Amino acid sequence: MSRTSRIAGAVIGMVALAGSLAACGGDSLEKEKGGSGSSAGGGKKGTLVVGSASFTESKVLAELYAQVLDDAGYSTSVTTVKNRELYEPSVEKGEIDVVPEYAATLAEFLNAKVNGADAEPVASGDVDATVSALKKLAEPLGLTVLPAGKAVDQNAFAVSKEFAEKNSLKTLSDLGKSKLKVKIAAGDECEERPFCAPGLKKTYGIDVTGIDPKGVGTPVSKQAVRDGKVQLVLTTTTDAVIDGLVFLEDDKKLQNADNVLPVLNTKDAGDPEIADALGRITAALTTEDLAELNRKVDAERAKPADVAKEYLESKNLIKK
């Protein structure tokens, strides 16, 4: 399931901000089987439940968090919850202690929850301002928002390498200045969402002539760009399967700052040692790292727990 496809289910009924990124829909809590499941070893500092949404990236992040906390002496388990409407209240209640989140998405989710669906947006392309707004919304709910890192998962637009080289394109501004006519392979909702076609037209002056509704970041969408049938494909910054394509930099920050960060239940997981352990992951993890971890799970069928362990050991974030 593509990241933009995940938007729709969680936005309806809670977040009215079109184009905002959100987690998968669903209605149940599930204990992960065969995950880090670290309760058998250590646990001298207490037990922590790490939450995960039901898509690959969230599962990988949850395993990274659980394993580094286990290494720090906590007993951890990973729980998958299929949508934000369920897992966010669970973090407030302390049923889940820690969850990986995305700054702009959670800010707008809490903004709608606290201030109503028609509330003025608080997220932007400025990560510091977005995290500051998120903290103001989260703290009264008993949530602690830890600092955001370099890793970011947000909408991204790519062209073929040949098209980029022929037209000297490195940024979306370059594409706008080129005055080239552009058709986008994306979901049909791209026609109306402010972070897709309307935003490209307004922010960059890109001449969008139409949408080819082949989906967001799907193999057929990417192939259409490689074949020259369309010029641009909507995918995400953590898409690692972009052979023959190059991302164009969002140099005017059209997309909101959906940097990855940990969110904790303040009462149950407010220990500075927890923040320190998670902070080491946040400091190390890059967008490219996250894309590669996703690729190993989705393309190589590796288990999230295994790729997380390999990564943490390679960065000396846990003991081998």
Side-chain angles (χ1 to χ4, degrees):
M1 181 180 294
S2 70
R3 182 164 175 78
T4 300
S5 297
R6 296 198 297 271
I7 295 169
V11 172
I12 294 171
M14 180 59 78
V15 183
L17 180 67
S20 179
L21 300 175
C24 280
D27 56 6
S28 64
L29 290 169
E30 301 173 355
K31 286 287 185 181
E32 279 290 310
K33 303 296 184 183
S36 58
S38 307
S39 58
K44 295 177 182 178
K45 296 180 181 179
T47 299
L48 295 171
V49 178
V50 180
S52 163
S54 59
F55 55 97
T56 294
E57 184 170 292
S58 187
K59 291 180 179 181
V60 170
L61 287 166
E63 283 292 345
L64 290 170
Y65 288 7
Q67 292 184 35
V68 81
L69 289 169
D70 179 66
D71 190 70
Y74 296 88
S75 175
T76 63
S77 61
V78 175
T79 296
T80 298
V81 189
K82 290 188 177 178
N83 76 36
R84 187 174 275 108
E85 286 86 349
L86 288 174
Y87 74 67
E88 186 278 328
S90 293
V91 182
E92 287 187 34
K93 295 172 185 175
E95 296 166 349
I96 292 173
D97 301 298
V98 183
V99 68
E101 263 293 1
Y102 302 90
T105 296
L106 185 60
E108 290 305 342
F109 179 89
L110 295 183
N111 188 30
K113 179 174 181 174
V114 173
N115 299 315
D118 296 326
E120 192 70 21
V122 297
S124 69
D126 184 327
V127 63
D128 293 332
T130 298
V131 172
S132 177
L134 171 56
K135 288 182 177 180
K136 290 178 182 177
L137 290 162
E139 287 170 3
L141 300 175
L143 304 176
T144 293
V145 176
L146 297 183
K150 301 179 289 292
V152 58
D153 184 348
Q154 60 194 28
N155 288 347
F157 295 92
V159 296
S160 70
K161 289 181 179 178
E162 181 183 359
F163 187 75
E165 290 171 0
K166 179 180 179 181
N167 296 289
S168 301
L169 304 176
K170 292 185 178 180
T171 68
L172 289 171
S173 287
D174 291 339
L175 183 57
K177 292 173 184 175
S178 74
K179 303 302 179 184
L180 293 165
K181 295 186 181 300
V182 171
K183 192 170 185 179
I184 307 172
D188 54 10
E189 69 276 5
C190 179
E191 188 70 49
E192 299 178 353
R193 289 191 171 166
F195 299 126
C196 202
L200 293 177
K201 293 175 184 177
K202 181 178 179 180
T203 302
Y204 290 105
I206 294 172
D207 187 359
V208 179
T209 61
I211 307 299
D212 187 354
K214 286 184 165 63
V216 179
T218 60
V220 291
S221 285
K222 295 172 192 174
Q223 193 59 46
V225 175
R226 295 186 189 101
D227 293 342
K229 295 177 181 177
V230 298
Q231 292 70 46
L232 201 62
V233 60
L234 170 62
T235 182
T236 67
T237 52
T238 58
D239 185 346
V241 190
I242 57 164
D243 297 343
L245 306 178
V246 291
F247 289 122
L248 295 183
E249 180 189 350
D250 179 20
D251 53 306
K252 293 185 179 179
K253 298 188 182 300
L254 168 63
Q255 305 302 325
N256 281 342
D258 251 330
N259 295 62
V260 176
L261 43 67
V263 176
L264 318 175
N265 175 279
T266 303
K267 181 180 178 181
D268 295 341
D271 191 314
E273 288 190 37
I274 294 174
D276 288 345
L278 295 173
R280 290 194 289 274
I281 296 177
T282 299
L285 192 67
T286 66
T287 303
E288 293 74 20
D289 291 341
L290 197 48
E292 177 61 14
L293 293 171
N294 289 340
R295 187 194 66 78
K296 288 181 177 180
V297 175
D298 290 336
E300 297 180 7
R301 303 303 182 202
K303 293 180 179 179
D306 293 340
V307 299
K309 181 180 180 183
E310 181 183 10
Y311 176 80
L312 292 170
E313 289 180 346
S314 75
K315 298 293 183 179
N316 296 315
L317 293 171
I318 62 172
K319 294 182 290 290
K320 294 184 179 180

